[in-house]
Amino acid sequence: MNNRIYIANWKMNITSKEAKSFFEKFLVLYKSSANKEVVFCPSFTTLVSSVQSKLLNNSDKIYIGSQNVSNKKLGAHTGEISVGMLKEIGVEYCIVGHSERRSVYFESNEMVNNKIKLLIEDKITPILCVGETLEEREDGKSDQIVLEQLSSCLKDICPFKVVIAYEPIWAIGTGKNAIVEDISHMNTIIKNHMNKLGYIDKQFYILYGGSVNINNLSIIDKASFLNGFLIGGASLEPESFWGIIKK
Ligand code: PGA
């Protein structure tokens, strides 16, 4: 069975100073477990100090990830951060195609595909977010949308380790959750499609994200083929994030 992965997506929260105090508290609570990986995805400016906190404390099974990366390798791209820059500071995971980047910053499947190609060249594990809007769900198009996202984002890439985060867009930051049967259904669709694309089960992880917290975790956790969670709001406090991992 694959490890479980717990990813904290801090979004545009938590400064370097706040992260230092977060890690001080979190690492007191934290006990590593053989089959659990924990990934923190802070903002760009907080990445360096987060990597340092992890290294200083030699925290087993904790990794640092970026929330985004440029789809260009290098050159005249003002304001962008390259895969090489992330690699240099010790980043090991990177979120791509988050719905907030797709909807607000017009990140297309093609851009995500370029990002993934660059990430795997430098051996950074992509965390690929997929998911449908409420309108698409109501129109019965959820499966089609997610399959399209998977196929386009993974186009022309040989199988490698990838984390797929299924995040129904209408569940992110809203307090609403998909029901466990729907998550199981989507996970099955994702698993079968990944196998069809040539991925063996050990090469991909399926996570769920969207308003996950300590209260709804046990129910969501019953979904089939689930390897962990991508957590926003409930990862901002050490006690709350640790509570989820521990459970
Ligand atoms: P949320 O965010 O847990 O606050 O809904 C999840 C995400 O956007 O990855």
Side-chain angles (χ1 to χ4, degrees):
M1 205 182 92
N2 276 347
N3 281 348
R4 313 267 304 163
I5 307 185
Y6 297 81
I7 300 178
N9 178 11
W10 282 352
K11 309 193 181 188
M12 204 168 68
N13 301 292
I14 308 201
T15 62
S16 294
K17 201 171 151 196
E18 288 162 351
K20 194 167 173 281
S21 119
F22 180 104
F23 283 116
E24 274 165 15
K25 290 186 199 146
F26 183 82
L27 292 169
V28 170
L29 303 168
Y30 178 72
K31 280 175 199 62
S32 71
S33 148
N35 63 346
K36 288 183 182 177
E37 294 180 24
V38 181
V39 183
F40 287 95
C41 298
S43 68
F44 282 133
T45 58
T46 305
L47 275 175
V48 176
S49 67
S50 301
V51 173
Q52 281 164 355
S53 295
K54 171 194 142 56
L55 292 179
L56 279 178
N57 292 286
N58 190 21
S59 356
D60 191 32
K61 302 251 175 218
I62 294 186
Y63 304 89
I64 303 299
S66 173
Q67 295 174 17
N68 188 24
V69 69
S70 175
N71 61 333
K72 306 282 189 252
K73 199 173 172 107
L74 84 174
H77 301 288
T78 304
E80 292 290 284
I81 304 278
S82 73
V83 167
M85 291 167 181
L86 297 181
K87 185 77 187 172
E88 185 191 33
I89 60 164
V91 165
E92 290 170 282
Y93 283 81
C94 180
I95 299 175
V96 289
H98 191 280
S99 65
E100 286 152 17
R101 298 226 53 94
R102 290 180 190 266
S103 63
V104 187
Y105 301 98
F106 310 110
E107 192 164 302
S108 64
N109 285 332
E110 197 187 343
M111 286 162 80
V112 174
N113 179 248
N114 284 332
K115 291 180 184 201
I116 295 179
K117 285 178 179 160
L118 292 170
L119 286 167
I120 59 171
E121 250 178 53
D122 261 338
K123 299 195 170 45
I124 295 181
T125 305
I127 301 162
L128 167 60
C129 300
V130 294
E132 78 286 356
T133 62
L134 186 57
E135 203 183 345
E136 288 161 347
R137 166 159 287 258
E138 286 170 352
D139 286 351
K141 290 189 183 149
S142 307
D143 297 1
Q144 181 195 329
I145 294 292
V146 168
L147 290 178
E148 250 170 50
Q149 288 171 337
L150 283 176
S151 294
S152 316
C153 295
L154 297 173
K155 196 169 157 219
D156 300 328
I157 302 175
C158 294
F160 54 93
K161 180 182 170 185
V162 60
V163 177
I164 310 289
Y166 170 53
E167 301 204 296
I169 296 171
W170 48 271
I172 298 177
T174 57
K176 293 182 186 152
N177 296 117
I179 56 169
V180 69
E181 289 78 9
D182 288 344
I183 303 172
S184 291
H185 167 81
M186 191 57 84
N187 288 358
T188 309
I189 296 268
I190 293 172
K191 177 186 150 42
N192 291 342
H193 195 65
M194 292 301 286
N195 290 151
K196 223 164 86 188
L197 292 176
Y199 288 74
I200 56 168
D201 289 350
K202 272 198 159 73
Q203 285 175 310
F204 64 93
Y205 296 72
I206 306 175
L207 272 47
Y208 177 78
S211 299
V212 174
N213 60 43
I214 192 84
N215 300 319
N216 56 30
L217 184 77
S218 316
I219 301 170
I220 301 174
D221 204 29
K222 294 196 169 69
S224 326
F225 308 119
L226 191 70
N227 302 121
F229 301 94
L230 177 49
I231 302 155
S235 72
L236 296 175
E237 295 297 334
E239 295 79 9
S240 130
F241 189 46
W242 172 244
I244 290 174
I245 300 165
K246 196 173 65 172
K247 208 165 174 181

